[in-house]
Amino acid sequence: MRQDEIWDAEVAAAYDTPGAGMFAPEAVDPVVERLAALAGGGRALEFAIGTGRIAVPLAARGVPVTGIELSRPMLERLRAKADEAAIPVVVGDMATTRAPGEYSLVYLVFNTISNLVTQDEQVACFANAAAHLGPGGRFVVELEVPALRVLPPGQPATVFAAEPGYLGIDTYDPLHQILVSHHVRFDDSRQARVTRSPHRYIWPSEMDLMARLAGLELESRHADWAGASFTAESTTHVSVYRRP
């Protein structure tokens, strides 16, 4: 499925969970705090701005935020929170779409770069970020570490969530680095609803090479937004790349 088909009106309506889940203050506040510091008083550009989970509170901190977003339904949800004057958004994909002006910070959070399902698109995304940055500007990426260590030989899938009324399953294609998340929602009836989203997982070292191809240098890598050390056991990372 194309990304603009996945992020339709139904998904956009269910995406926002104000005050809970990924929208809870404990999930949002550390991200906003770190990004505001990295912006250094300059302008910020969010790739795949979505419904404004991070952009709205970051703009409220006084950081001028612009966005790029492919999904019009997601953008409509953002517009219920902030108008074009407050947070301008260019409609398009994050690999090729240009926003006007120069920025001190470009950021891409919550695994969103993996929505680009080819290596070429991901390389282009790094190049696009670099093209928006002024000298000394930073590109920040939040991403999961591929969880292939949990896959026994010959097993193509893992269960990542098992809750009342919900089952989450990831299937892996290690040859092409493709992961498909299957979300199964069910009740007491014999019917279930399944939605899927494809991703291309990226190793941190592969990301570093993409950055080098774009003329960026790795400045820091932590396990989370609070600055915990990144180790071999870390399941996520926040990587900051800098344009010299």
Side-chain angles (χ1 to χ4, degrees):
M1 295 181 66
R2 301 198 317 265
Q3 291 298 324
D4 57 347
E5 294 175 331
I6 295 169
W7 301 100
D8 59 13
E10 181 180 356
V11 172
Y15 186 79
D16 281 322
T17 55
M22 60 187 289
F23 285 78
E26 59 267 25
V28 172
D29 292 349
V31 184
V32 172
E33 187 74 23
R34 181 82 188 281
L35 292 176
L38 289 170
R43 303 169 65 212
L45 174 64
E46 180 171 0
F47 282 0
I49 195 171
T51 67
R53 181 180 73 98
I54 299 302
V56 170
L58 184 60
R61 284 283 302 266
V63 179
V65 181
T66 298
I68 292 175
E69 176 56 49
L70 180 64
S71 167
R72 291 185 182 275
M74 297 287 278
L75 180 54
E76 289 173 6
R77 302 285 299 185
L78 170 59
R79 284 290 164 252
K81 308 170 189 177
D83 61 21
E84 180 72 16
I87 301 178
V89 177
V90 180
V91 177
D93 72 275
M94 56 187 162
T96 61
T97 302
R98 288 298 304 272
E102 188 176 270
Y103 300 85
S104 63
L105 176 69
V106 178
Y107 64 95
L108 186 51
V109 299
F110 205 61
N111 305 316
T112 310
I113 193 171
S114 70
N115 290 340
L116 300 171
V117 294
T118 69
Q119 187 182 67
D120 285 346
E121 290 176 310
Q122 292 169 349
V123 168
C125 182
F126 269 82
N128 196 27
H132 283 92
L133 291 173
R138 295 178 172 93
F139 181 35
V140 183
V141 183
E142 176 190 20
L143 189 61
E144 289 183 343
V145 177
L148 270 65
R149 291 169 64 187
V150 304
L151 280 178
Q155 180 174 311
T158 61
V159 176
F160 65 83
E163 304 165 1
Y166 175 74
L167 186 64
I169 302 170
D170 283 337
T171 56
Y172 291 84
D173 174 2
L175 183 61
H176 300 99
Q177 294 181 212
I178 296 295
L179 175 156
V180 179
S181 293
H182 307 257
H183 307 277
V184 184
R185 293 174 174 85
F186 56 91
D187 53 25
D188 292 333
S189 72
R190 300 176 68 181
Q191 304 298 315
R193 178 174 176 79
V194 181
T195 57
R196 299 177 179 87
S197 58
H199 307 268
R200 182 182 186 271
Y201 57 83
I202 321 170
W203 300 101
S205 57
E206 184 184 8
M207 273 183 45
D208 293 349
L209 183 55
M210 292 178 183
R212 288 178 59 189
L213 292 171
L216 303 175
E217 301 172 347
L218 179 65
E219 182 175 74
S220 66
R221 173 170 289 133
H222 294 96
D224 57 27
W225 290 99
S229 297
F230 181 75
T231 72
E233 302 305 316
S234 298
T235 59
T236 63
H237 63 96
V238 176
S239 297
V240 180
Y241 298 96
R242 187 173 182 271
R243 179 180 173 186

